[in-house]
Amino acid sequence: MSKKLKVGVIGAGRIGKVHTQSITYHIPEAEIKTIADVYIDNAKDWANSMGIQNTTNDYHDILNDPEIDAVLICSSTDTHSRITIEAAQAGKHIFCEKPIDFDLDRIHAALAAVKEAGVKFQVGFNRRFDHNFKQVHDLIKAGKVGVPHIIKITSRDPAPPPVEYVKVSGGMFLDMTIHDFDMVRYLSGSEVEEVYAQGAVLVDPAIGEAGDIDTAVITLKFKNGAIGVIDNSRQAVYGYDQRVEVFGSAGCINVSNDTPSSAVLSTAEGVIGEKPKYFFLERYMDSFAQEMKEFFDAIVNGKETPVTGIDGLKPVLIGLAAKKSLEEGRPVKIEE
Amino acid sequence: MSKKLKVGVIGAGRIGKVHTQSITYHIPEAEIKTIADVYIDNAKDWANSMGIQNTTNDYHDILNDPEIDAVLICSSTDTHSRITIEAAQAGKHIFCEKPIDFDLDRIHAALAAVKEAGVKFQVGFNRRFDHNFKQVHDLIKAGKVGVPHIIKITSRDPAPPPVEYVKVSGGMFLDMTIHDFDMVRYLSGSEVEEVYAQGAVLVDPAIGEAGDIDTAVITLKFKNGAIGVIDNSRQAVYGYDQRVEVFGSAGCINVSNDTPSSAVLSTAEGVIGEKPKYFFLERYMDSFAQEMKEFFDAIVNGKETPVTGIDGLKPVLIGLAAKKSLEEGRPVKIEE
Amino acid sequence: MSKKLKVGVIGAGRIGKVHTQSITYHIPEAEIKTIADVYIDNAKDWANSMGIQNTTNDYHDILNDPEIDAVLICSSTDTHSRITIEAAQAGKHIFCEKPIDFDLDRIHAALAAVKEAGVKFQVGFNRRFDHNFKQVHDLIKAGKVGVPHIIKITSRDPAPPPVEYVKVSGGMFLDMTIHDFDMVRYLSGSEVEEVYAQGAVLVDPAIGEAGDIDTAVITLKFKNGAIGVIDNSRQAVYGYDQRVEVFGSAGCINVSNDTPSSAVLSTAEGVIGEKPKYFFLERYMDSFAQEMKEFFDAIVNGKETPVTGIDGLKPVLIGLAAKKSLEEGRPVKIEE
Amino acid sequence: MSKKLKVGVIGAGRIGKVHTQSITYHIPEAEIKTIADVYIDNAKDWANSMGIQNTTNDYHDILNDPEIDAVLICSSTDTHSRITIEAAQAGKHIFCEKPIDFDLDRIHAALAAVKEAGVKFQVGFNRRFDHNFKQVHDLIKAGKVGVPHIIKITSRDPAPPPVEYVKVSGGMFLDMTIHDFDMVRYLSGSEVEEVYAQGAVLVDPAIGEAGDIDTAVITLKFKNGAIGVIDNSRQAVYGYDQRVEVFGSAGCINVSNDTPSSAVLSTAEGVIGEKPKYFFLERYMDSFAQEMKEFFDAIVNGKETPVTGIDGLKPVLIGLAAKKSLEEGRPVKIEE
């Protein structure tokens, strides 16, 4: 067995823990040397249980460790671009959670630093690595639907986040829809030119009072002429609803929700199937492991990462255009 | 057996024949006395084969026949409003194919004539009587999805109509989407306030040259805050794609396509189900019979018809707004 | 329109009414002249409502009417073979409900009479005309599953019949499974050689006290080496369960149940589809009309009927073998 | 982290490698210290790549290692009972692949040795840990189908094993159907009383020449009155077909096949879903990990193992009765 890649994880929140587990249990090619978190005391026991001995509340300990090859930036969004710049300057390969930043200038600065340092950089759009969506992508690439005409994404959460989170989330388009903006790019093989967003507060008035929406339908015009449409809700009572449909000149592909089992119960009440897997930790766990595998593969084998800096930038551009569209009640071009 | 209602059919084209068959074979309470068509010679043999003895090239023969209780207006769209007025003045109950007219003034004139005559008037939005869509409607009414938030309609034809037809069709929104505009009203229980239409010519450039589009995504804002989205294509190579999804505070309803059989064939190539029923004659045949039954039931039992004059007017208003939206590249309010 | 075939219906019970409706509403090529029933007074109003003027309590009135071309024998099973013989001798074409008789000698006598008279004879195995099962048959014939290896039929009623009926039904194998015995012949294209039946009384002890079973699994050995298996229950609480699976060297075909609509409701409780169509009147109505059409087509166009006398005999043979197998607890050859 | 359990793996064939991977990547509570195989040279590189340093061609090195807590017996079937006895005498906890033996006396001897030693003993019926089948089991236990009446298992391999393997496999019933015999016990909550087996050689004549069958339908009578039916084929061209249906007084549960993704492609050719996951390594990988987890959990927490010695014995008894039934062409009681 060749030498394992040494990894530092910055941010021991929910997503930091997900990646730590993936690497520990599923990726023999890498190992986590150090975990940093500003509140590291809360995470020490957990880190030990995973067999990770070094913990710190200062992520610079990771950046300054010459043994560490790569960092995962899983801290709060407002720190992503800054830590990306520092990590690049320290010569670390970088996996950065989405979004890189809400601010375009800061994204550009981060990407410039990465480019100058020549390190690998991957953004955490994990859904590209999901078995269903990857299959849609591959079937499109294989020409099975011909030229795509209409791309539809349904993306609904099982329950809204706390209102406190909503306030700092950057708004639904940058927090939740951003995954769908990435997905339409991934599937269409084309860039979005124009966005028209309709939004409403139908789930919880408190979300509206916090200045956000909880329900939206966004239509997108692609450079290649295709039309996209995304519908979002912060609350689907039946669980996490994650579907895609791509319609084209030669056919149509649909993917439906994954369920815990295929059991269907027929009774006097009806024919009852299972609800979708509850939320992203259940639904996308395999994709989180897969994106890690491909990140390390890019490092070890000198490949381009499968989700690049541009892939991190574009969905933010679309999200900002969607926000403007909603505010001004009109379609908005991305180039604006 | 009580006395049968006597019916005159005006227009012996495709839809006139459908209604004639429904009445002859499925509705014992009514019988067709006379069929009129400007090219009646082409339809005489067929009329005889259905056991209908009176044929004429002048629909006034029907209007002037005191024995006839009701007329079906199945002639070309540009004659609908005029014949409606004449039939109302002749005291006939009226079933009029959609749309009543492309011109709002003429629709209003027709509806006024109906009102003054006090005759029954029903518009041919047959999909309301389809087993799938009616079930969606009934489940919504029963509160199964709670408050509707998002209403999605997929409506795609198997093949585009001849370009000559496209030229006189009133445009895709008034010819094809009009059924979907009716359906969103039927399902939402609310009125459309604003429309934003995106359209493209992706199927056949000749349709574009004829001044129309063949692919569209239309978003709708409802009075009750819900959002609607309709996607249309003139060509789904796998057949007639007719689906609906209604998402609300308590759940979501989906209806999928009907197929000729439920057979699924698993082979080395894959797991292969049947394509949807080919087109509207296969897919909606039962709904055509059902709308006739309810029309005659309204006459015999003095009920309101299930699709009223207002129901005929509103989808035209939405269609005209969609047209304007497409031309001007902005959301358009219905009241404009 | 050519002259309509004149039909007499013998037996105005449930199935006699079904055929009467089919002919009246769906088959313009034939008309019912007379209906006979020993308790005709109960059926007179109904017959009038269908526009049939002649009613009688003596079916000989039908056999003696030279105008009548064909008879439908829908009376109680114990009269089928006798009336068949008389009708054949009267030169009428015969549609006879299943089974022809419980007694083999009487079946042979009836078939001999039919042969001598040279009249058309069709047995009421309507499921062959069902859209699902016909599609399975056609796919097999087209070679889509290759050589059939295993044929599985699930056939479960929504609720058991009254115990009084059970007592005179001839037993579950001859009353209910007989349809499945016909179906395996229709699908396999081979004859059953040996039967092994397992039965149990699990639904209602009263059925056991009446000397019958209510649950069974029957395995069948075909001449061509394939294996068949049928499972039956007199009570599926979720409704009429009618499925088939044919597995072969090149693939597998499955047909599932028909439902009133394709609506699927997703709620916090689960993803809920509709139950199967309730019972045979809902599920097989189209097949009843279709078998009539093909019967009249065979008469008018001098074709062989699609379900012949042999097709009526063989399932009785299999059913009797199944009965013997259950009694003696061993596989039984048909030729025994 | 508490001290890891130390494990020895005996047999480095396909299934031995599966368990090794499960433990290495998915079960932090245990680690493999030593792997033994008579042809260990073939497996050394692989063992090293998994981070396992000790390899041996003599499994006694494992039994004699006082540090090792538990052994996995993954060697050829004819060695299972002997190694079980030796391992029990060495005080090791035992996970033994199925079947324990083809010979009942040797099974009893093995179980006696386990009992005397007081060690944990689990048999490798992994399908009990599959998400689909476990859900069926749990729904039955929760009373969702009421009293089970009919239990149906479809179990078909994608391709037959080499004829050389067939010759030493113990026959299809003990090699392949044995999993299904375990499954009916697991699901029914009752014991099989009588078996009737029909078999045929329809896939490959060479299998018949080797004295085995490749296609079978087996019916089972349970102590509680329910009826079971299993159908098997050595070759389903569309892939590994693994389904279950349990029908009871209150409803019916079905599980269908797992697929690599939920993608459905609609084209002019049809509506095409994916084939089942190819074979047991794809289909049951999670269940292999889960059975390991529960084995170690039983050791650490002093619980009964979820698949006991009796659970290993009973399917062999049923399999032997099925063999006899096939040979003698009659139903055979288990107690014979």
Short mmCIF file of all heavy atoms in Angstrom, two decimals, chain B residues 47-86:
data_model
loop_
_atom_site.label_atom_id
_atom_site.label_comp_id
_atom_site.label_asym_id
_atom_site.label_seq_id
_atom_site.Cartn_x
_atom_site.Cartn_y
_atom_site.Cartn_z
N ALA B 47 -71.65 8.83 -41.42
CA ALA B 47 -72.87 9.13 -40.66
C ALA B 47 -73.85 7.97 -40.78
O ALA B 47 -74.46 7.54 -39.79
CB ALA B 47 -73.49 10.43 -41.14
N ASN B 48 -74.00 7.45 -41.98
CA ASN B 48 -74.90 6.31 -42.17
C ASN B 48 -74.45 5.10 -41.36
O ASN B 48 -75.25 4.41 -40.74
CB ASN B 48 -74.97 5.93 -43.65
CG ASN B 48 -75.80 6.93 -44.43
OD1 ASN B 48 -76.59 7.68 -43.84
ND2 ASN B 48 -75.62 6.97 -45.74
N SER B 49 -73.15 4.87 -41.36
CA SER B 49 -72.63 3.71 -40.63
C SER B 49 -72.92 3.84 -39.14
O SER B 49 -72.95 2.85 -38.42
CB SER B 49 -71.13 3.56 -40.86
OG SER B 49 -70.42 4.48 -40.04
N MET B 50 -73.09 5.07 -38.67
CA MET B 50 -73.42 5.29 -37.26
C MET B 50 -74.93 5.27 -37.04
O MET B 50 -75.40 5.53 -35.92
CB MET B 50 -72.86 6.64 -36.80
CG MET B 50 -71.37 6.82 -36.96
SD MET B 50 -70.42 5.63 -35.98
CE MET B 50 -70.78 6.24 -34.33
N GLY B 51 -75.69 5.05 -38.12
CA GLY B 51 -77.14 5.00 -37.98
C GLY B 51 -77.80 6.37 -37.92
O GLY B 51 -78.93 6.52 -37.46
N ILE B 52 -77.09 7.39 -38.40
CA ILE B 52 -77.65 8.75 -38.40
C ILE B 52 -78.11 9.06 -39.81
O ILE B 52 -77.32 9.02 -40.76
CB ILE B 52 -76.58 9.77 -37.95
CG1 ILE B 52 -76.14 9.42 -36.54
CG2 ILE B 52 -77.10 11.19 -38.06
CD1 ILE B 52 -74.79 9.98 -36.19
N GLN B 53 -79.37 9.41 -39.94
CA GLN B 53 -79.92 9.51 -41.28
C GLN B 53 -79.88 10.90 -41.88
O GLN B 53 -79.75 11.07 -43.09
CB GLN B 53 -81.35 8.96 -41.30
CG GLN B 53 -81.33 7.43 -41.18
CD GLN B 53 -82.58 6.91 -40.55
OE1 GLN B 53 -83.20 7.58 -39.73
NE2 GLN B 53 -82.97 5.71 -40.96
N ASN B 54 -79.97 11.93 -41.00
CA ASN B 54 -80.01 13.28 -41.55
C ASN B 54 -78.63 13.90 -41.62
O ASN B 54 -77.95 14.01 -40.59
CB ASN B 54 -80.90 14.18 -40.68
CG ASN B 54 -82.30 13.64 -40.59
OD1 ASN B 54 -82.89 13.24 -41.60
ND2 ASN B 54 -82.84 13.58 -39.37
N THR B 55 -78.26 14.31 -42.81
CA THR B 55 -77.00 15.03 -42.95
C THR B 55 -77.28 16.28 -43.79
O THR B 55 -78.19 16.29 -44.63
CB THR B 55 -75.93 14.18 -43.67
OG1 THR B 55 -76.46 13.77 -44.94
CG2 THR B 55 -75.58 12.95 -42.86
N THR B 56 -76.50 17.31 -43.54
CA THR B 56 -76.74 18.57 -44.25
C THR B 56 -75.43 19.35 -44.34
O THR B 56 -74.55 19.16 -43.51
CB THR B 56 -77.81 19.41 -43.52
OG1 THR B 56 -77.88 20.71 -44.14
CG2 THR B 56 -77.45 19.60 -42.06
N ASN B 57 -75.33 20.22 -45.34
CA ASN B 57 -74.15 21.09 -45.34
C ASN B 57 -74.47 22.46 -44.73
O ASN B 57 -73.61 23.34 -44.71
CB ASN B 57 -73.53 21.21 -46.74
CG ASN B 57 -74.53 21.77 -47.73
OD1 ASN B 57 -75.59 22.28 -47.35
ND2 ASN B 57 -74.18 21.69 -49.01
N ASP B 58 -75.68 22.61 -44.21
CA ASP B 58 -76.08 23.89 -43.61
C ASP B 58 -76.53 23.67 -42.18
O ASP B 58 -77.59 23.10 -41.93
CB ASP B 58 -77.22 24.50 -44.44
CG ASP B 58 -77.62 25.87 -43.91
OD1 ASP B 58 -77.05 26.31 -42.87
OD2 ASP B 58 -78.50 26.49 -44.52
N TYR B 59 -75.74 24.17 -41.25
CA TYR B 59 -76.08 23.92 -39.85
C TYR B 59 -77.37 24.59 -39.42
O TYR B 59 -77.94 24.28 -38.37
CB TYR B 59 -74.92 24.34 -38.93
CG TYR B 59 -74.66 25.83 -38.88
CD1 TYR B 59 -75.37 26.64 -38.01
CD2 TYR B 59 -73.71 26.42 -39.71
CE1 TYR B 59 -75.13 28.01 -37.97
CE2 TYR B 59 -73.47 27.78 -39.67
CZ TYR B 59 -74.19 28.57 -38.80
OH TYR B 59 -73.95 29.91 -38.76
N HIS B 60 -77.86 25.54 -40.25
CA HIS B 60 -79.14 26.16 -39.91
C HIS B 60 -80.27 25.15 -39.93
O HIS B 60 -81.28 25.33 -39.23
CB HIS B 60 -79.43 27.34 -40.85
CG HIS B 60 -78.46 28.46 -40.68
ND1 HIS B 60 -77.34 28.59 -41.47
CD2 HIS B 60 -78.42 29.47 -39.78
CE1 HIS B 60 -76.66 29.65 -41.09
NE2 HIS B 60 -77.29 30.21 -40.06
N ASP B 61 -80.10 24.08 -40.70
CA ASP B 61 -81.11 23.01 -40.69
C ASP B 61 -81.26 22.43 -39.28
O ASP B 61 -82.33 21.99 -38.89
CB ASP B 61 -80.72 21.89 -41.66
CG ASP B 61 -80.78 22.36 -43.11
OD1 ASP B 61 -81.34 23.45 -43.36
OD2 ASP B 61 -80.23 21.65 -43.99
N ILE B 62 -80.15 22.40 -38.58
CA ILE B 62 -80.20 21.91 -37.19
C ILE B 62 -80.85 22.94 -36.29
O ILE B 62 -81.75 22.63 -35.50
CB ILE B 62 -78.78 21.55 -36.71
CG1 ILE B 62 -78.30 20.27 -37.39
CG2 ILE B 62 -78.74 21.41 -35.19
CD1 ILE B 62 -76.87 19.89 -37.12
N LEU B 63 -80.39 24.18 -36.43
CA LEU B 63 -80.91 25.23 -35.55
C LEU B 63 -82.41 25.43 -35.75
O LEU B 63 -83.14 25.76 -34.82
CB LEU B 63 -80.17 26.55 -35.79
CG LEU B 63 -78.65 26.52 -35.58
CD1 LEU B 63 -78.07 27.94 -35.68
CD2 LEU B 63 -78.29 25.92 -34.22
N ASN B 64 -82.87 25.21 -37.00
CA ASN B 64 -84.29 25.43 -37.29
C ASN B 64 -85.17 24.22 -37.01
O ASN B 64 -86.37 24.28 -37.19
CB ASN B 64 -84.45 25.81 -38.78
CG ASN B 64 -83.78 27.15 -39.07
OD1 ASN B 64 -83.67 28.00 -38.17
ND2 ASN B 64 -83.31 27.33 -40.30
N ASP B 65 -84.56 23.12 -36.58
CA ASP B 65 -85.35 21.91 -36.32
C ASP B 65 -85.89 21.95 -34.89
O ASP B 65 -85.12 21.83 -33.94
CB ASP B 65 -84.43 20.68 -36.51
CG ASP B 65 -85.18 19.39 -36.31
OD1 ASP B 65 -86.28 19.38 -35.72
OD2 ASP B 65 -84.64 18.34 -36.75
N PRO B 66 -87.17 22.13 -34.73
CA PRO B 66 -87.73 22.30 -33.38
C PRO B 66 -87.58 21.03 -32.53
O PRO B 66 -87.63 21.11 -31.31
CB PRO B 66 -89.20 22.62 -33.62
CG PRO B 66 -89.51 22.14 -35.01
CD PRO B 66 -88.23 22.19 -35.78
N GLU B 67 -87.36 19.89 -33.15
CA GLU B 67 -87.23 18.65 -32.39
C GLU B 67 -85.87 18.54 -31.69
O GLU B 67 -85.71 17.76 -30.75
CB GLU B 67 -87.36 17.46 -33.36
CG GLU B 67 -88.45 16.49 -32.95
CD GLU B 67 -88.37 15.21 -33.76
OE1 GLU B 67 -87.27 14.86 -34.26
OE2 GLU B 67 -89.37 14.55 -33.91
N ILE B 68 -84.92 19.28 -32.20
CA ILE B 68 -83.56 19.15 -31.66
C ILE B 68 -83.41 19.97 -30.37
O ILE B 68 -83.74 21.16 -30.34
CB ILE B 68 -82.52 19.55 -32.73
CG1 ILE B 68 -82.44 18.40 -33.75
CG2 ILE B 68 -81.17 19.84 -32.10
CD1 ILE B 68 -81.48 18.62 -34.89
N ASP B 69 -82.91 19.29 -29.32
CA ASP B 69 -82.77 19.92 -28.01
C ASP B 69 -81.42 20.60 -27.83
O ASP B 69 -81.31 21.63 -27.16
CB ASP B 69 -82.91 18.86 -26.91
CG ASP B 69 -84.23 18.11 -26.98
OD1 ASP B 69 -85.27 18.75 -26.78
OD2 ASP B 69 -84.21 16.90 -27.29
N ALA B 70 -80.40 19.99 -28.39
CA ALA B 70 -79.04 20.45 -28.07
C ALA B 70 -78.14 20.34 -29.29
O ALA B 70 -78.32 19.44 -30.13
CB ALA B 70 -78.44 19.62 -26.93
N VAL B 71 -77.16 21.24 -29.36
CA VAL B 71 -76.20 21.18 -30.46
C VAL B 71 -74.79 21.06 -29.92
O VAL B 71 -74.48 21.57 -28.84
CB VAL B 71 -76.28 22.42 -31.38
CG1 VAL B 71 -77.67 22.52 -32.01
CG2 VAL B 71 -75.95 23.70 -30.61
N LEU B 72 -73.98 20.36 -30.69
CA LEU B 72 -72.54 20.30 -30.39
C LEU B 72 -71.83 21.11 -31.45
O LEU B 72 -71.94 20.80 -32.65
CB LEU B 72 -72.03 18.85 -30.43
CG LEU B 72 -72.84 17.77 -29.71
CD1 LEU B 72 -72.08 16.44 -29.77
CD2 LEU B 72 -73.10 18.16 -28.28
N ILE B 73 -71.12 22.15 -31.05
CA ILE B 73 -70.42 23.01 -32.03
C ILE B 73 -68.98 22.51 -32.15
O ILE B 73 -68.14 22.73 -31.28
CB ILE B 73 -70.48 24.49 -31.61
CG1 ILE B 73 -71.95 24.90 -31.44
CG2 ILE B 73 -69.76 25.36 -32.63
CD1 ILE B 73 -72.14 26.32 -30.95
N CYS B 74 -68.72 21.80 -33.23
CA CYS B 74 -67.43 21.15 -33.46
C CYS B 74 -66.81 21.64 -34.77
O CYS B 74 -65.93 21.00 -35.33
CB CYS B 74 -67.62 19.64 -33.53
SG CYS B 74 -68.46 18.96 -32.09
N SER B 75 -67.27 22.76 -35.21
CA SER B 75 -66.76 23.34 -36.46
C SER B 75 -65.44 24.06 -36.18
O SER B 75 -64.92 24.02 -35.06
CB SER B 75 -67.81 24.30 -37.00
OG SER B 75 -68.26 25.15 -35.95
N SER B 76 -64.90 24.76 -37.19
CA SER B 76 -63.61 25.44 -36.99
C SER B 76 -63.78 26.58 -35.99
O SER B 76 -64.85 27.17 -35.85
CB SER B 76 -63.07 25.94 -38.33
OG SER B 76 -63.95 26.91 -38.86
N THR B 77 -62.66 26.88 -35.28
CA THR B 77 -62.73 27.81 -34.15
C THR B 77 -63.34 29.16 -34.53
O THR B 77 -64.11 29.74 -33.76
CB THR B 77 -61.31 28.02 -33.57
OG1 THR B 77 -60.84 26.76 -33.09
CG2 THR B 77 -61.31 29.02 -32.44
N ASP B 78 -63.04 29.64 -35.71
CA ASP B 78 -63.51 30.97 -36.08
C ASP B 78 -65.04 31.05 -36.21
O ASP B 78 -65.60 32.14 -36.28
CB ASP B 78 -62.86 31.42 -37.40
CG ASP B 78 -63.15 30.45 -38.53
OD1 ASP B 78 -63.04 29.22 -38.30
OD2 ASP B 78 -63.52 30.90 -39.63
N THR B 79 -65.72 29.92 -36.21
CA THR B 79 -67.19 29.93 -36.32
C THR B 79 -67.87 29.70 -34.97
O THR B 79 -69.10 29.81 -34.87
CB THR B 79 -67.67 28.81 -37.27
OG1 THR B 79 -67.38 27.53 -36.68
CG2 THR B 79 -66.98 28.89 -38.62
N HIS B 80 -67.08 29.36 -33.94
CA HIS B 80 -67.69 28.97 -32.65
C HIS B 80 -68.59 30.03 -32.06
O HIS B 80 -69.72 29.74 -31.65
CB HIS B 80 -66.60 28.64 -31.63
CG HIS B 80 -65.89 27.35 -31.87
ND1 HIS B 80 -64.90 26.87 -31.06
CD2 HIS B 80 -66.03 26.43 -32.84
CE1 HIS B 80 -64.44 25.72 -31.52
NE2 HIS B 80 -65.11 25.44 -32.61
N SER B 81 -68.08 31.26 -31.98
CA SER B 81 -68.85 32.29 -31.27
C SER B 81 -70.11 32.64 -32.07
O SER B 81 -71.19 32.81 -31.49
CB SER B 81 -67.99 33.53 -31.02
OG SER B 81 -67.48 34.04 -32.23
N ARG B 82 -69.98 32.72 -33.38
CA ARG B 82 -71.15 33.05 -34.20
C ARG B 82 -72.24 31.99 -34.07
O ARG B 82 -73.41 32.30 -33.82
CB ARG B 82 -70.72 33.19 -35.67
CG ARG B 82 -71.88 33.41 -36.62
CD ARG B 82 -71.40 33.85 -38.01
NE ARG B 82 -70.27 33.08 -38.50
CZ ARG B 82 -70.36 31.96 -39.23
NH1 ARG B 82 -71.53 31.46 -39.56
NH2 ARG B 82 -69.26 31.33 -39.65
N ILE B 83 -71.87 30.74 -34.21
CA ILE B 83 -72.88 29.67 -34.12
C ILE B 83 -73.46 29.58 -32.72
O ILE B 83 -74.64 29.31 -32.53
CB ILE B 83 -72.28 28.31 -34.56
CG1 ILE B 83 -71.74 28.42 -36.01
CG2 ILE B 83 -73.33 27.21 -34.49
CD1 ILE B 83 -71.13 27.13 -36.55
N THR B 84 -72.60 29.85 -31.71
CA THR B 84 -73.12 29.87 -30.33
C THR B 84 -74.25 30.88 -30.21
O THR B 84 -75.32 30.59 -29.64
CB THR B 84 -71.98 30.22 -29.35
OG1 THR B 84 -71.02 29.16 -29.36
CG2 THR B 84 -72.51 30.42 -27.93
N ILE B 85 -74.02 32.07 -30.76
CA ILE B 85 -75.06 33.11 -30.67
C ILE B 85 -76.34 32.67 -31.38
O ILE B 85 -77.44 32.74 -30.82
CB ILE B 85 -74.53 34.44 -31.25
CG1 ILE B 85 -73.42 34.98 -30.32
CG2 ILE B 85 -75.66 35.46 -31.43
CD1 ILE B 85 -72.62 36.13 -30.91
N GLU B 86 -76.18 32.15 -32.59
CA GLU B 86 -77.36 31.72 -33.33
C GLU B 86 -78.08 30.57 -32.63
O GLU B 86 -79.32 30.53 -32.58
CB GLU B 86 -76.95 31.26 -34.74
CG GLU B 86 -76.45 32.39 -35.62
CD GLU B 86 -76.07 31.87 -37.00
OE1 GLU B 86 -76.97 31.47 -37.76
OE2 GLU B 86 -74.85 31.84 -37.30
#
